[in-house]
Amino acid sequence: MAERRTLGPWQAFLYVAGAILWAVPNFACAQQKFPAKPVRLVGPAAGNIADTVSRTIGPRLAEGWRQPVIIENRAGAGGTLAAATVAKAAPDGHTMLLISGQFALGAVLQPNLPYQVLKDFVGVSQIGYSTSVLVVAPATAKSVKELVALAQAQPGKLIFSSGGAGSNNHMTAEQFGFNAGIKAVHVGFKSGSEELIEVLAGRAHYCMASVAAALPMIRDGRLQALGVTTPARSPLLPNVPAIVEVLPGFSRDASFGLFAPAGTPLSIRWQIGRDVARALDQPDVRDRLQGMAFAPVSSTPEELDKILREQVATFTALAQKVGLRTK
């Protein structure tokens, strides 16, 4: 039987040191460099808020990364086509999805999606919030309290319009109704502009609309703004209260987020998140986004993962209440 040899102190030190020197280059090779090639920011149709945000922060990210940032639009199905593209991409941070809360809403209302929102994606960074505004014809009401009192006096008689059943503005109006304790009739149309036309014509009593779309009609007096959906007042409508000031239980998550395919390393997501935060802090970027009623707010990857889970839970409960989902 061979004698077992014991290493001396110096021999043991040299053995460990050699193992470390061997492991370091191999460990370094295993680390993924980011970015190693152009980065794709995939989103819904050109011209919407997500697209504008992408084109605003994209050049700033490209400057820091010294790699092109390509904005890729996949229009159709409420962002489903864009999300499906990213779900199939390599999980290395070079292809990401920038999308609104419609991402979570689609997961709740469309059971046969080609991906699973909570399994096939991971958070990178929140981008910020869009702002919607509750509007009525000036003769209808002058405040949220007046509108609520009018609806309570006529249960089921008031009509609210939206850009379509299951749309963000529809669900926001439903949430408002629940928090206010009122019952109103929903009528959906094909677009946000049509929902505003219905209110202007007096065929609908109120609606939730994007500030960008409603602002010209608010400023010329054709529409009365009662409240904004964000936690704080909008710089574009400083005299209009946040709805939560009147209805403390009201909340509407209109957050936009940057998501990557599941499996994307957390270290890369943290790096991108920090770069996004720096881009959003640039004065010209912030001014442009705030000018379109968008509040830039970043987050950690873990925080965005939590936001997404909460959005799915909130929209699921709301969809069940209004009959858009049975379970």
Side-chain angles (χ1 to χ4, degrees):
M1 183 175 181
E3 181 181 354
R4 185 175 181 180
R5 185 179 178 184
T6 302
L7 296 176
W10 277 105
Q11 290 174 310
F13 171 78
L14 292 173
Y15 177 82
V16 172
I20 291 173
L21 290 174
W22 177 87
V24 166
N26 284 278
F27 176 78
C29 290
Q31 301 303 296
Q32 294 178 309
K33 179 185 176 183
F34 180 87
K37 58 184 179 180
V39 176
R40 298 161 62 204
L41 294 185
V42 183
N48 65 14
I49 295 178
D51 178 56
T52 303
V53 172
S54 294
R55 295 181 189 279
T56 301
I57 67 173
R60 289 300 183 137
L61 295 173
E63 289 173 8
W65 291 339
R66 297 187 178 182
Q67 287 283 358
V69 173
I70 301 166
I71 310 303
E72 184 175 320
N73 300 112
R74 294 291 178 117
T80 298
L81 297 182
T85 298
V86 175
K88 299 174 183 177
D92 56 11
H94 290 92
T95 302
M96 292 177 286
L97 175 71
L98 199 158
I99 196 166
S100 72
Q102 190 71 36
F103 185 47
L105 187 54
V108 171
L109 299 181
Q110 301 179 57
N112 298 316
L113 291 174
Y115 52 81
Q116 295 185 56
V117 165
L118 297 178
K119 291 184 178 181
D120 295 335
F121 295 88
V122 287
V124 177
S125 176
Q126 182 175 247
I127 302 297
Y129 299 88
S130 63
T131 306
S132 292
V133 58
L134 172 62
V135 294
V136 298
T140 302
K142 298 298 181 183
S143 68
V144 171
K145 286 185 177 180
E146 283 190 18
L147 179 64
V148 171
L150 180 65
Q152 288 175 338
Q154 306 175 59
K157 299 295 184 181
L158 266 59
I159 296 172
F160 71 92
S161 56
S162 81
S167 62
N168 274 326
N169 49 17
H170 171 213
M171 302 304 278
T172 302
E174 294 283 9
Q175 187 68 55
F176 167 75
F178 282 119
N179 288 122
I182 62 175
K183 292 183 179 181
V185 178
H186 169 243
V187 180
F189 296 89
K190 294 180 180 180
S191 67
S193 59
E194 288 185 55
E195 69 168 343
L196 286 169
I197 291 172
E198 295 303 305
V199 176
L200 286 169
R203 292 187 290 267
H205 294 91
Y206 66 93
C207 74
M208 293 285 184
S210 73
V211 167
L215 194 58
M217 289 167 271
I218 294 171
R219 286 177 171 168
D220 67 17
R222 288 183 290 161
L223 288 176
Q224 176 75 42
L226 302 185
V228 293
T229 57
T230 42
R233 299 190 180 198
S234 168
L236 296 179
L237 295 168
N239 297 322
V240 177
I243 294 174
V244 71
E245 294 178 36
V246 185
L247 300 175
F250 177 81
S251 65
R252 180 249 185 177
D253 198 330
S255 64
F256 285 63
L258 189 62
F259 298 91
T264 302
L266 182 59
S267 59
I268 289 179
R269 291 188 282 140
W270 263 93
Q271 177 190 335
I272 298 171
R274 288 191 294 266
D275 294 338
V276 166
R278 280 192 288 268
L280 292 174
D281 280 339
Q282 296 299 316
D284 60 326
V285 171
R286 186 168 292 273
D287 289 347
R288 184 181 182 192
L289 295 180
Q290 289 179 339
M292 51 185 259
F294 187 92
V297 181
S298 61
S299 75
T300 66
E302 294 93 338
E303 287 169 341
L304 182 56
D305 286 335
K306 181 181 178 183
I307 289 170
L308 181 61
R309 290 193 299 271
E310 290 175 347
Q311 284 181 330
V312 170
T314 297
F315 285 138
T316 298
L318 187 57
Q320 290 171 345
K321 289 178 182 177
V322 301
L324 292 174
R325 178 168 169 157
T326 58
K327 62 178 180 178

Coordinates of all heavy atoms in Angstrom, one line a residue, residues 45-130:
A45 N -46.0 49.7 -31.5 CA -46.0 50.5 -32.7 C -45.2 51.8 -32.6 O -45.1 52.4 -31.5 CB -47.5 50.8 -33.0
A46 N -44.7 52.3 -33.7 CA -44.0 53.5 -33.7 C -44.9 54.7 -33.4 O -46.1 54.7 -33.7 CB -43.4 53.7 -35.1
G47 N -44.4 55.6 -32.6 CA -45.2 56.8 -32.3 C -45.9 56.8 -31.0 O -46.4 57.8 -30.6
N48 N -46.0 55.6 -30.4 CA -46.7 55.6 -29.1 C -45.7 56.0 -28.0 O -44.5 56.3 -28.3 CB -47.3 54.3 -28.8 CG -46.3 53.1 -28.6 OD1 -45.1 53.4 -28.5 ND2 -46.8 51.9 -28.6
I49 N -46.1 56.1 -26.7 CA -45.3 56.6 -25.7 C -44.0 55.7 -25.5 O -42.9 56.2 -25.3 CB -46.1 56.7 -24.3 CG1 -47.2 57.7 -24.5 CG2 -45.1 57.1 -23.2 CD1 -48.0 57.8 -23.3
A50 N -44.2 54.4 -25.5 CA -43.0 53.5 -25.3 C -42.0 53.8 -26.4 O -40.8 53.8 -26.1 CB -43.5 52.1 -25.3
D51 N -42.4 54.0 -27.6 CA -41.5 54.2 -28.7 C -40.8 55.6 -28.5 O -39.6 55.7 -28.7 CB -42.3 54.3 -30.0 CG -41.4 54.6 -31.2 OD1 -40.4 53.8 -31.5 OD2 -41.7 55.6 -31.9
T52 N -41.5 56.6 -28.1 CA -40.9 57.9 -27.9 C -39.9 57.8 -26.7 O -38.8 58.4 -26.8 CB -42.0 58.9 -27.5 OG1 -42.9 59.0 -28.6 CG2 -41.4 60.3 -27.3
V53 N -40.2 57.1 -25.7 CA -39.3 57.0 -24.6 C -38.0 56.2 -25.0 O -36.9 56.6 -24.7 CB -39.9 56.2 -23.4 CG1 -38.9 55.9 -22.3 CG2 -41.1 57.0 -22.8
S54 N -38.2 55.2 -25.8 CA -37.0 54.4 -26.3 C -36.1 55.3 -27.2 O -34.9 55.3 -27.0 CB -37.5 53.2 -27.2 OG -38.2 52.3 -26.4
R55 N -36.7 56.1 -28.0 CA -35.9 57.0 -28.9 C -35.3 58.2 -28.1 O -34.4 58.8 -28.6 CB -36.8 57.5 -30.1 CG -37.2 56.3 -31.0 CD -38.1 56.8 -32.1 NE -38.6 55.6 -32.8 CZ -37.9 54.9 -33.7 NH1 -36.7 55.2 -34.0 NH2 -38.5 53.8 -34.3
T56 N -35.8 58.4 -26.9 CA -35.3 59.5 -26.1 C -34.1 59.0 -25.3 O -33.0 59.7 -25.3 CB -36.3 60.1 -25.2 OG1 -37.4 60.6 -25.9 CG2 -35.8 61.2 -24.3
I57 N -34.2 57.9 -24.7 CA -33.0 57.4 -23.9 C -32.0 56.6 -24.7 O -30.9 56.5 -24.3 CB -33.5 56.5 -22.7 CG1 -34.2 55.2 -23.2 CG2 -34.5 57.3 -21.8 CD1 -34.5 54.3 -22.1
G58 N -32.4 56.0 -25.9 CA -31.6 55.2 -26.7 C -30.2 55.9 -27.0 O -29.2 55.3 -26.8
P59 N -30.2 57.1 -27.5 CA -29.0 57.8 -27.9 C -28.1 58.0 -26.7 O -26.8 57.9 -26.8 CB -29.4 59.1 -28.5 CG -30.8 58.9 -29.0 CD -31.4 57.9 -28.0
R60 N -28.6 58.2 -25.5 CA -27.8 58.4 -24.3 C -27.2 57.1 -23.9 O -26.0 57.1 -23.5 CB -28.7 58.9 -23.2 CG -29.1 60.4 -23.4 CD -27.9 61.3 -23.5 NE -28.2 62.7 -23.6 CZ -27.6 63.7 -22.9 NH1 -26.6 63.4 -22.1 NH2 -28.0 64.9 -23.1
L61 N -27.9 56.0 -24.0 CA -27.3 54.7 -23.7 C -26.2 54.3 -24.7 O -25.2 53.8 -24.3 CB -28.4 53.6 -23.7 CG -29.5 53.8 -22.6 CD1 -30.6 52.7 -22.9 CD2 -28.9 53.6 -21.2
A62 N -26.5 54.6 -25.9 CA -25.5 54.3 -27.0 C -24.2 55.1 -26.7 O -23.1 54.6 -27.0 CB -26.1 54.7 -28.4
E63 N -24.3 56.3 -26.3 CA -23.1 57.1 -26.0 C -22.2 56.4 -24.9 O -21.0 56.3 -25.0 CB -23.5 58.5 -25.5 CG -24.0 59.4 -26.6 CD -24.6 60.7 -26.0 OE1 -24.3 61.0 -24.8 OE2 -25.2 61.5 -26.7
G64 N -22.9 56.0 -23.8 CA -22.2 55.3 -22.8 C -21.6 54.0 -23.1 O -20.5 53.6 -22.7
W65 N -22.4 53.2 -23.9 CA -22.0 51.9 -24.2 C -21.0 51.8 -25.4 O -20.4 50.8 -25.6 CB -23.3 51.0 -24.6 CG -24.1 50.8 -23.4 CD1 -23.8 50.8 -22.1 CD2 -25.5 50.4 -23.4 NE1 -24.8 50.5 -21.2 CE2 -25.9 50.3 -22.0 CE3 -26.4 50.2 -24.4 CZ2 -27.2 49.9 -21.7 CZ3 -27.7 49.8 -24.0 CH2 -28.1 49.7 -22.7
R66 N -21.0 52.9 -26.2 CA -20.2 52.9 -27.4 C -20.6 51.8 -28.4 O -19.8 51.1 -29.0 CB -18.7 52.8 -27.1 CG -18.3 54.1 -26.3 CD -16.8 54.1 -26.1 NE -16.4 55.3 -25.4 CZ -15.1 55.6 -25.1 NH1 -14.1 54.8 -25.5 NH2 -14.8 56.7 -24.5
Q67 N -21.9 51.5 -28.4 CA -22.5 50.5 -29.3 C -23.8 51.1 -29.7 O -24.5 51.8 -29.0 CB -22.8 49.2 -28.6 CG -21.5 48.4 -28.3 CD -21.0 47.7 -29.5 OE1 -21.6 47.7 -30.6 NE2 -19.9 46.9 -29.4
P68 N -24.2 50.9 -31.0 CA -25.5 51.4 -31.4 C -26.7 50.8 -30.6 O -26.6 49.6 -30.2 CB -25.6 50.9 -32.9 CG -24.2 50.6 -33.3 CD -23.5 50.1 -32.0
V69 N -27.7 51.6 -30.4 CA -28.9 51.1 -29.8 C -30.0 51.2 -30.9 O -30.4 52.3 -31.3 CB -29.3 52.0 -28.6 CG1 -30.7 51.6 -28.0 CG2 -28.3 51.8 -27.5
I70 N -30.5 50.1 -31.3 CA -31.5 50.0 -32.4 C -32.9 49.9 -31.8 O -33.2 49.1 -31.0 CB -31.2 48.8 -33.2 CG1 -29.8 48.9 -33.8 CG2 -32.2 48.7 -34.4 CD1 -29.3 47.6 -34.4
I71 N -33.8 50.9 -32.2 CA -35.2 50.8 -31.8 C -36.0 50.0 -32.8 O -36.0 50.4 -34.0 CB -35.7 52.3 -31.7 CG1 -34.8 53.2 -30.9 CG2 -37.1 52.2 -31.1 CD1 -34.5 52.7 -29.5
E72 N -36.6 49.0 -32.3 CA -37.3 48.0 -33.2 C -38.7 48.0 -32.8 O -39.1 47.7 -31.7 CB -36.7 46.6 -33.1 CG -37.3 45.6 -34.1 CD -36.5 44.3 -34.0 OE1 -35.3 44.3 -33.9 OE2 -37.2 43.3 -34.0
N73 N -39.6 48.4 -33.8 CA -41.1 48.4 -33.5 C -41.7 47.1 -34.1 O -41.5 46.7 -35.2 CB -41.7 49.6 -34.2 CG -41.2 50.9 -33.7 OD1 -40.5 51.6 -34.4 ND2 -41.4 51.2 -32.4
R74 N -42.5 46.4 -33.2 CA -43.3 45.3 -33.6 C -44.7 45.6 -33.3 O -45.2 45.3 -32.2 CB -42.8 44.0 -32.8 CG -41.4 43.6 -33.2 CD -41.3 43.0 -34.6 NE -40.0 42.7 -35.0 CZ -39.6 41.4 -35.3 NH1 -40.5 40.4 -35.3 NH2 -38.4 41.1 -35.7
A75 N -45.4 46.2 -34.2 CA -46.8 46.6 -33.9 C -47.7 45.5 -34.0 O -47.5 44.5 -34.7 CB -47.2 47.7 -35.0
G76 N -48.8 45.6 -33.2 CA -49.9 44.6 -33.2 C -50.1 43.9 -31.9 O -49.2 43.7 -31.1
A77 N -51.4 43.5 -31.7 CA -51.8 42.7 -30.6 C -51.4 43.3 -29.2 O -51.0 42.5 -28.3 CB -51.2 41.3 -30.7
G78 N -51.5 44.6 -29.1 CA -51.2 45.2 -27.8 C -49.8 45.0 -27.2 O -49.7 44.9 -26.0
G79 N -48.8 44.9 -28.1 CA -47.5 44.6 -27.6 C -47.1 43.2 -27.6 O -45.9 42.8 -27.2
T80 N -48.0 42.3 -27.9 CA -47.7 40.8 -27.8 C -46.6 40.4 -28.8 O -45.8 39.6 -28.5 CB -49.0 40.0 -28.1 OG1 -50.0 40.3 -27.1 CG2 -48.7 38.5 -28.2
L81 N -46.7 41.0 -30.0 CA -45.7 40.6 -31.0 C -44.3 41.1 -30.6 O -43.3 40.4 -30.8 CB -46.0 41.2 -32.4 CG -47.3 40.8 -33.0 CD1 -47.5 41.4 -34.4 CD2 -47.3 39.2 -33.2
A82 N -44.2 42.3 -30.0 CA -42.9 42.8 -29.5 C -42.4 41.9 -28.4 O -41.2 41.5 -28.3 CB -43.1 44.2 -29.0
A83 N -43.3 41.5 -27.4 CA -42.9 40.7 -26.3 C -42.4 39.3 -26.8 O -41.5 38.7 -26.3 CB -44.0 40.5 -25.3
A84 N -43.2 38.7 -27.7 CA -42.8 37.4 -28.2 C -41.4 37.4 -28.9 O -40.7 36.4 -28.7 CB -43.8 36.9 -29.3
T85 N -41.1 38.5 -29.5 CA -39.7 38.6 -30.1 C -38.6 38.6 -29.1 O -37.6 37.9 -29.2 CB -39.6 39.9 -30.9 OG1 -40.6 39.9 -32.0 CG2 -38.2 40.1 -31.5
V86 N -38.8 39.3 -28.0 CA -37.8 39.4 -26.9 C -37.8 38.0 -26.1 O -36.7 37.6 -25.7 CB -38.1 40.5 -26.0 CG1 -37.2 40.6 -24.8 CG2 -38.1 41.8 -26.8
A87 N -38.9 37.4 -25.9 CA -38.9 36.1 -25.2 C -38.0 35.1 -25.8 O -37.5 34.2 -25.2 CB -40.4 35.6 -25.1
K88 N -37.9 35.1 -27.2 CA -37.1 34.1 -27.9 C -35.6 34.5 -28.1 O -34.8 33.8 -28.6 CB -37.7 33.9 -29.3 CG -39.1 33.4 -29.3 CD -39.7 33.4 -30.7 CE -41.2 32.9 -30.7 NZ -41.7 32.9 -32.1
A89 N -35.3 35.8 -27.6 CA -33.9 36.3 -27.8 C -32.9 35.7 -26.8 O -33.3 35.1 -25.8 CB -33.9 37.8 -27.7
A90 N -31.7 35.8 -27.2 CA -30.6 35.3 -26.3 C -30.6 36.1 -25.0 O -30.8 37.3 -25.0 CB -29.3 35.4 -27.0
P91 N -30.5 35.4 -23.8 CA -30.6 36.1 -22.5 C -29.2 36.7 -22.2 O -28.6 36.3 -21.2 CB -30.9 35.0 -21.6 CG -30.3 33.7 -22.2 CD -30.4 33.9 -23.7
D92 N -28.8 37.7 -22.9 CA -27.5 38.3 -22.7 C -27.6 39.8 -22.6 O -26.5 40.5 -22.5 CB -26.5 37.9 -23.8 CG -27.0 38.3 -25.2 OD1 -28.0 39.1 -25.3 OD2 -26.4 37.9 -26.2
G93 N -28.8 40.4 -22.6 CA -29.0 41.8 -22.4 C -29.0 42.6 -23.7 O -29.2 43.8 -23.7
H94 N -28.7 42.0 -24.8 CA -28.6 42.7 -26.1 C -29.9 42.9 -26.8 O -30.0 43.6 -27.8 CB -27.6 42.0 -27.0 CG -26.2 42.1 -26.5 ND1 -25.6 41.2 -25.7 CD2 -25.3 43.1 -26.7 CE1 -24.3 41.6 -25.5 NE2 -24.1 42.7 -26.1
T95 N -31.0 42.2 -26.3 CA -32.3 42.4 -26.8 C -33.3 42.6 -25.6 O -33.4 41.7 -24.7 CB -32.8 41.2 -27.6 OG1 -31.9 41.0 -28.7 CG2 -34.2 41.5 -28.2
M96 N -34.0 43.7 -25.5 CA -34.8 44.0 -24.4 C -36.2 44.6 -24.9 O -36.3 45.1 -26.0 CB -34.2 45.0 -23.4 CG -32.9 44.4 -22.7 SD -32.1 45.6 -21.6 CE -31.3 46.7 -22.9
L97 N -37.2 44.5 -24.0 CA -38.5 45.0 -24.3 C -38.8 46.2 -23.4 O -38.7 46.2 -22.2 CB -39.5 43.8 -23.9 CG -41.0 44.2 -24.1 CD1 -41.4 44.3 -25.5 CD2 -41.8 43.1 -23.4
L98 N -39.2 47.3 -24.1 CA -39.7 48.5 -23.4 C -41.2 48.6 -23.6 O -41.6 48.8 -24.8 CB -38.9 49.7 -23.8 CG -38.9 50.9 -22.8 CD1 -37.8 51.8 -23.1 CD2 -40.3 51.7 -22.9
I99 N -42.0 48.5 -22.6 CA -43.4 48.4 -22.7 C -44.1 49.0 -21.5 O -43.5 49.1 -20.4 CB -43.8 46.9 -23.0 CG1 -45.2 46.8 -23.6 CG2 -43.6 46.1 -21.7 CD1 -45.5 45.5 -24.2
S100 N -45.4 49.3 -21.7 CA -46.2 49.9 -20.6 C -46.8 48.8 -19.8 O -46.6 47.6 -19.9 CB -47.3 50.7 -21.2 OG -48.3 49.9 -21.9
G101 N -47.8 49.2 -18.9 CA -48.5 48.3 -18.1 C -49.4 47.3 -18.9 O -49.9 46.4 -18.3
Q102 N -49.5 47.6 -20.2 CA -50.3 46.7 -21.1 C -49.7 45.3 -21.1 O -50.4 44.4 -21.4 CB -50.3 47.3 -22.5 CG -51.3 46.6 -23.4 CD -52.7 46.9 -23.1 OE1 -53.1 48.0 -22.7 NE2 -53.6 45.9 -23.3
F103 N -48.4 45.3 -20.8 CA -47.7 44.0 -20.7 C -48.3 43.1 -19.7 O -48.6 41.9 -20.0 CB -46.2 44.3 -20.4 CG -45.3 43.1 -20.4 CD1 -45.3 42.2 -21.5 CD2 -44.4 42.9 -19.4 CE1 -44.5 41.1 -21.5 CE2 -43.5 41.8 -19.4 CZ -43.6 40.9 -20.5
A104 N -48.6 43.6 -18.5 CA -49.2 42.8 -17.5 C -50.7 42.6 -17.8 O -51.2 41.5 -17.5 CB -49.0 43.5 -16.1
L105 N -51.3 43.6 -18.3 CA -52.7 43.5 -18.6 C -53.0 42.5 -19.7 O -53.9 41.7 -19.6 CB -53.3 44.9 -19.1 CG -54.8 45.0 -19.3 CD1 -55.5 44.6 -18.1 CD2 -55.1 46.5 -19.7
G106 N -52.1 42.4 -20.7 CA -52.3 41.4 -21.7 C -52.1 40.0 -21.1 O -52.8 39.0 -21.6
A107 N -51.3 39.8 -20.1 CA -51.1 38.5 -19.5 C -52.4 38.0 -18.8 O -52.6 36.9 -18.7 CB -49.9 38.5 -18.5
V108 N -53.1 39.0 -18.3 CA -54.3 38.7 -17.6 C -55.5 38.4 -18.5 O -56.3 37.5 -18.3 CB -54.7 39.9 -16.6 CG1 -56.1 39.7 -16.0 CG2 -53.6 40.0 -15.6
L109 N -55.6 39.2 -19.6 CA -56.8 39.1 -20.5 C -56.6 38.2 -21.7 O -57.6 37.9 -22.4 CB -57.1 40.5 -21.0 CG -57.5 41.6 -19.9 CD1 -57.8 42.9 -20.6 CD2 -58.6 41.1 -19.1
Q110 N -55.4 37.8 -22.0 CA -55.1 36.9 -23.1 C -54.5 35.6 -22.7 O -53.3 35.5 -22.5 CB -54.2 37.6 -24.1 CG -54.7 38.9 -24.7 CD -53.8 39.6 -25.6 OE1 -53.4 39.1 -26.6 NE2 -53.4 40.9 -25.3
P111 N -55.3 34.6 -22.4 CA -54.8 33.3 -21.8 C -53.9 32.5 -22.8 O -53.1 31.7 -22.3 CB -56.0 32.6 -21.5 CG -57.1 33.1 -22.5 CD -56.7 34.5 -22.6
N112 N -53.9 32.8 -24.1 CA -53.1 32.0 -25.0 C -51.9 32.7 -25.6 O -51.6 32.5 -26.8 CB -54.1 31.5 -26.1 CG -55.2 30.6 -25.6 OD1 -55.0 29.7 -24.8 ND2 -56.4 30.9 -26.1
L113 N -51.3 33.5 -24.8 CA -50.1 34.2 -25.3 C -49.0 33.2 -25.6 O -48.9 32.1 -25.0 CB -49.6 35.2 -24.2 CG -50.5 36.4 -24.0 CD1 -49.9 37.2 -22.8 CD2 -50.6 37.3 -25.2
P114 N -48.1 33.5 -26.6 CA -47.0 32.6 -26.9 C -45.8 32.6 -25.9 O -44.7 32.2 -26.2 CB -46.5 33.1 -28.3 CG -46.9 34.5 -28.3 CD -48.2 34.6 -27.5
Y115 N -46.1 33.2 -24.7 CA -45.0 33.3 -23.7 C -45.8 33.5 -22.3 O -47.0 33.8 -22.3 CB -44.1 34.6 -23.9 CG -44.9 35.8 -24.1 CD1 -45.4 36.6 -23.0 CD2 -45.2 36.3 -25.4 CE1 -46.1 37.7 -23.2 CE2 -45.9 37.5 -25.6 CZ -46.4 38.2 -24.5 OH -47.1 39.4 -24.7
Q116 N -45.0 33.3 -21.3 CA -45.5 33.5 -19.9 C -44.8 34.7 -19.3 O -43.6 34.7 -19.1 CB -45.4 32.3 -19.1 CG -46.2 31.1 -19.6 CD -46.0 29.9 -18.6 OE1 -46.4 30.0 -17.4 NE2 -45.6 28.8 -19.2
V117 N -45.6 35.8 -19.0 CA -45.0 37.0 -18.6 C -44.1 36.8 -17.3 O -42.9 37.4 -17.3 CB -46.1 38.1 -18.3 CG1 -45.5 39.2 -17.5 CG2 -46.7 38.6 -19.6
L118 N -44.5 36.1 -16.4 CA -43.8 36.0 -15.1 C -42.7 34.9 -15.1 O -41.9 34.8 -14.2 CB -44.7 35.7 -13.9 CG -45.8 36.7 -13.6 CD1 -46.7 36.3 -12.5 CD2 -45.1 38.1 -13.3
K119 N -42.7 34.1 -16.2 CA -41.6 33.1 -16.3 C -40.6 33.3 -17.4 O -39.4 33.0 -17.3 CB -42.3 31.7 -16.6 CG -43.1 31.2 -15.4 CD -43.6 29.8 -15.7 CE -44.4 29.2 -14.5 NZ -44.9 27.8 -14.8
D120 N -41.0 34.0 -18.5 CA -40.1 34.2 -19.6 C -39.4 35.5 -19.6 O -38.6 35.8 -20.6 CB -40.9 34.0 -20.9 CG -41.5 32.6 -21.1 OD1 -40.9 31.7 -20.5 OD2 -42.5 32.4 -21.8
F121 N -39.7 36.4 -18.7 CA -39.1 37.7 -18.6 C -38.5 38.0 -17.2 O -39.1 37.5 -16.2 CB -40.1 38.8 -19.0 CG -40.5 38.7 -20.4 CD1 -41.6 37.9 -20.8 CD2 -39.9 39.3 -21.5 CE1 -42.1 37.8 -22.1 CE2 -40.3 39.2 -22.8 CZ -41.4 38.4 -23.1
V122 N -37.5 38.8 -17.2 CA -37.0 39.4 -15.9 C -36.9 40.9 -16.0 O -36.6 41.4 -17.1 CB -35.6 38.7 -15.6 CG1 -35.8 37.3 -15.1 CG2 -34.7 38.8 -16.7
G123 N -37.0 41.5 -14.9 CA -36.9 43.0 -14.9 C -35.5 43.5 -15.1 O -34.5 42.9 -14.6
V124 N -35.4 44.7 -15.7 CA -34.1 45.4 -15.8 C -34.2 46.7 -15.1 O -33.5 47.0 -14.1 CB -33.8 45.6 -17.3 CG1 -32.5 46.5 -17.4 CG2 -33.6 44.3 -18.0
S125 N -35.2 47.5 -15.5 CA -35.4 48.8 -14.8 C -36.8 49.4 -15.1 O -37.2 49.3 -16.3 CB -34.4 49.8 -15.1 OG -34.7 51.1 -14.5
Q126 N -37.5 49.9 -14.1 CA -38.6 50.7 -14.4 C -38.2 52.0 -15.2 O -37.0 52.4 -15.0 CB -39.3 51.1 -13.1 CG -40.6 51.9 -13.3 CD -41.3 52.2 -12.0 OE1 -42.4 51.7 -11.7 NE2 -40.7 53.0 -11.1
I127 N -39.0 52.5 -16.1 CA -38.7 53.7 -16.8 C -39.4 54.9 -16.3 O -38.9 56.0 -16.3 CB -38.9 53.4 -18.3 CG1 -38.2 52.2 -18.8 CG2 -38.6 54.7 -19.2 CD1 -36.7 52.4 -18.8
G128 N -40.7 54.7 -15.9 CA -41.4 55.8 -15.5 C -42.9 55.6 -15.6 O -43.4 54.5 -15.8
Y129 N -43.7 56.7 -15.5 CA -45.2 56.6 -15.5 C -45.7 57.6 -16.6 O -45.3 58.7 -16.7 CB -45.7 57.0 -14.2 CG -45.3 56.2 -13.0 CD1 -44.2 56.5 -12.3 CD2 -46.1 55.1 -12.6 CE1 -43.8 55.7 -11.2 CE2 -45.7 54.3 -11.5 CZ -44.6 54.6 -10.8 OH -44.2 53.9 -9.7
S130 N -46.7 57.1 -17.3 CA -47.5 58.0 -18.1 C -48.6 58.6 -17.2 O -48.9 58.1 -16.2 CB -48.1 57.2 -19.3 OG -49.0 56.2 -18.8

